[in-house]
Amino acid sequence: MASVSSQPQFRYTQPPSKVLHLRNLPWECTEEELIELGKPFGKVVNTKCNVGANRNQAFIEFADLNQAIAMISYYASSSEPAQRVQMHALSALMFCTWPMSRIYLRWQLSALGERAHVFSAFGFVHKITTFEKTAGFQALVQFSDAETATSAKDALDGRSIPRYLLPEHVGQCTLRITYSGHTDLSVKFQSHRSRDYTNPYLPVAPSAMDGSGQFVMGLDGKKLEPESNVLLASIENMQYAVTLDVLHMVFSAFGPVQKIAMFDKNGGLQALIQYPDVQTAVVAKEALEGHSIYDGGFCKLHISYSRHTDLSIKVNNDRSRDYTIPSAPAVNSQPSILGQHPVPMMGAAPPAQQYNGAQYAPNHEQHMMPQPASGWGTSAPAVPQSMPLQMHSHPYMPPGAMPPQMAPGMMQFPANNALPPSSTMPAYGPDHVQ
DNA sequence: AGCACA
């Protein structure tokens, strides 16, 4: 735990790229705005906006690698992995203006929960601090200038935070906004309750780190773990058997699964799932966390990043498998899997509609995950699906070749957060954008 | 009306 305080703790989980991937941009943005964002750091040669089901993701490509690095570095917050930094910093910069006078907004949520993104749609959020009072959850938000603050106040006061920005269990959050009496926020640390987006070198608050300095808290107070290409999934409420093949199918929807190891822990089932790269694991985790494999909350997944990066699978059996080894796995030696499959799944469970949660916009045109094969009894969209490249090409689960255990009531895959595992552009051709 | 500091 030594050695951390004076240096910013950037953690780059990806090799540098000329292409930056921006996630969680609030609402739609334009190509012009993306160019404005990147211009201070170099020559923007390509952009793609309105990517993803929520149209809140984008790509920026620079002419030179160093320019992309410069942008990342500038907006890096020392308390977060680089991927999240991109997301936060860039969302704070949308519709940006750069001027002098400062003004504060005070806002209040009618329920617990905090989303800086809400404000960043209107301009560069310089600093934010949150706190709880008897009246509710409050925050001070400092913008770059008064005009920006005024437009944000006028647009947001009395309105609700978009559902997709909120956790499922949080009800409607109505904002109340007035001007603050403060003139300048003085943020001493980056922490789970306050941020200074103008200063990437601000130290991380000790309270936001654990003993080893490894984990930090996100602005929402949740733990941020170092990202990994290996996920640790624990399964709760396990009314039905979860087999290796079921896990393989569920996790393969986001990219090729290299290895799976299942084991029992504290009376529950856990599994380590290995992807070839971190980004695929990030997408899978964000999409699957908290959701159930079967309708009715059965076999609910809780997913975290593993400390492992490469599992060593000693033997292929019904609890562990290395899918990268070409020797045909003896799937047929377990004919009982189907027989053991829970009967209620086949008839009693209603058609799978697990992902009608608000954070997954029900935008069928934008679905990029494999749709249920015809015959599953769920409504298939009329329009052809646009799938990311790896869905067509990865050898582990060709589209339409779902394992037989896929039963009615099994989870469908969510539509958003489904990004290609690389931060290159080609997966989103120009025909995908209006 | 209500405004932080690890």
Side-chain angles (χ1 to χ4, degrees):
Chain A
M1 60 178 179
S3 86
V4 279
S5 51
S6 58
Q7 293 292 328
Q9 295 121 37
F10 297 152
R11 182 167 22 231
Y12 293 102
T13 56
Q14 314 263 317
S17 164
K18 286 192 282 191
V19 181
L20 300 185
H21 169 211
L22 321 186
R23 288 187 289 183
N24 275 29
L25 296 171
W27 307 311
E28 300 181 4
C29 69
T30 65
E31 180 169 24
E32 290 70 35
E33 286 154 358
L34 287 175
I35 292 172
E36 283 300 310
L37 267 183
K39 212 158 60 178
F41 305 95
K43 184 168 164 44
V44 176
V45 297
N46 201 359
T47 65
K48 174 155 269 310
C49 35
N50 302 329
V51 167
N54 287 329
R55 304 173 66 78
N56 63 349
Q57 310 190 12
F59 294 98
I60 294 184
E61 180 177 1
F62 283 96
D64 184 85
L65 182 63
N66 288 328
Q67 297 166 351
I69 292 172
M71 184 166 182
I72 290 274
S73 305
Y74 182 78
Y75 292 115
S77 149
S78 58
S79 64
E80 300 187 286
Q83 277 194 318
R84 292 178 190 277
V85 169
Q86 285 174 256
M87 171 182 98
H88 281 192
L90 291 164
S91 62
L93 269 168
M94 292 194 60
F95 307 104
C96 65
T97 50
W98 301 94
M100 299 289 57
S101 75
R102 291 171 172 158
I103 207 159
Y104 299 83
L105 296 183
R106 183 177 53 75
W107 57 279
Q108 169 180 326
L109 302 188
S110 61
L112 199 68
E114 183 279 329
R115 289 295 180 273
H117 316 287
V118 171
F119 299 97
S120 53
F122 299 90
F124 186 10
V125 175
H126 280 190
K127 302 170 188 174
I128 186 166
T129 180
T130 67
F131 46 98
E132 285 178 69
K133 289 279 169 159
T134 52
F137 199 79
Q138 301 187 324
L140 296 162
V141 181
Q142 180 170 345
F143 283 94
S144 51
D145 62 289
E147 289 72 26
T148 306
T150 299
S151 63
K153 173 182 175 295
D154 292 346
L156 290 174
D157 186 31
R159 295 195 49 194
S160 297
I161 296 179
R163 272 248 52 103
Y164 74 87
L165 290 175
L166 296 170
E168 291 162 85
H169 58 278
V170 172
Q172 182 165 315
C173 286
T174 304
L175 295 161
R176 289 287 144 67
I177 303 176
T178 60
Y179 295 114
S180 167
H182 290 276
T183 53
D184 188 19
L185 291 179
S186 163
V187 176
K188 307 283 199 308
F189 301 97
Q190 310 284 17
S191 81
H192 64 291
R193 56 175 46 173
S194 66
R195 287 300 163 95
D196 182 344
Y197 294 98
T198 66
N199 182 7
Y201 298 102
L202 207 58
V204 178
S207 68
M209 281 185 290
D210 74 354
S212 66
Q214 281 247 309
F215 298 96
V216 295
M217 300 274 251
L219 245 190
D220 51 10
K222 284 191 298 193
K223 253 186 184 177
L224 290 178
E225 307 157 282
E227 293 168 351
S228 166
N229 65 314
V230 179
L231 297 176
L232 171 65
S234 42
I235 297 145
E236 91 177 31
N237 206 13
M238 218 176 72
Q239 263 79 358
Y240 303 137
V242 173
T243 64
L244 191 72
D245 293 309
V246 166
L247 286 177
H248 182 248
M249 176 181 57
V250 167
F251 284 87
S252 288
F254 306 91
V257 170
Q258 292 182 322
K259 301 173 185 176
I260 299 181
M262 299 165 70
F263 52 93
D264 293 307
K265 184 139 187 189
N266 309 327
L269 180 68
Q270 298 200 347
L272 291 162
I273 297 97
Q274 178 174 337
Y275 288 104
D277 56 88
V278 172
Q279 188 160 357
T280 306
V282 170
V283 170
K285 178 177 182 290
E286 289 183 4
L288 294 174
E289 167 56 26
H291 291 280
S292 304
I293 297 180
Y294 298 107
D295 259 351
F298 301 125
C299 306
K300 188 172 181 183
L301 293 167
H302 287 289
I303 301 176
S304 57
Y305 295 109
S306 168
R307 295 179 304 276
H308 297 92
T309 54
D310 190 23
L311 305 175
S312 92
I313 305 291
K314 298 191 176 63
V315 55
N316 278 356
N317 57 26
D318 62 339
R319 305 216 94 192
S320 64
R321 189 154 305 168
D322 185 342
Y323 296 91
T324 65
I325 294 178
S327 64
V331 181
N332 291 338
S333 70
Q334 305 157 20
S336 56
I337 287 179
L338 261 183
Q340 289 168 348
H341 210 68
V343 177
M345 294 302 312
M346 310 306 289
Q353 285 298 336
Q354 293 286 322
Y355 288 99
N356 50 8
Q359 78 276 34
Y360 296 123
N363 184 344
H364 288 268
E365 285 72 33
Q366 292 286 333
H367 275 208
M368 290 176 293
M369 281 296 145
Q371 293 301 301
S374 55
W376 290 3
T378 51
S379 57
V383 280
Q385 296 305 301
S386 65
M387 294 189 187
L389 227 47
Q390 80 273 17
M391 297 315 297
H392 295 295
S393 57
H394 84 72
Y396 300 93
M397 194 177 67
M402 298 289 191
Q405 339 38 333
M406 185 55 143
M410 208 164 207
M411 75 199 311
Q412 293 181 48
F413 300 107
N416 71 345
N417 291 330
L419 284 157
S422 72
S423 31
T424 50
M425 306 260 230
Y428 294 93
D431 50 329
H432 293 298
V433 209
Q434 280 71 35

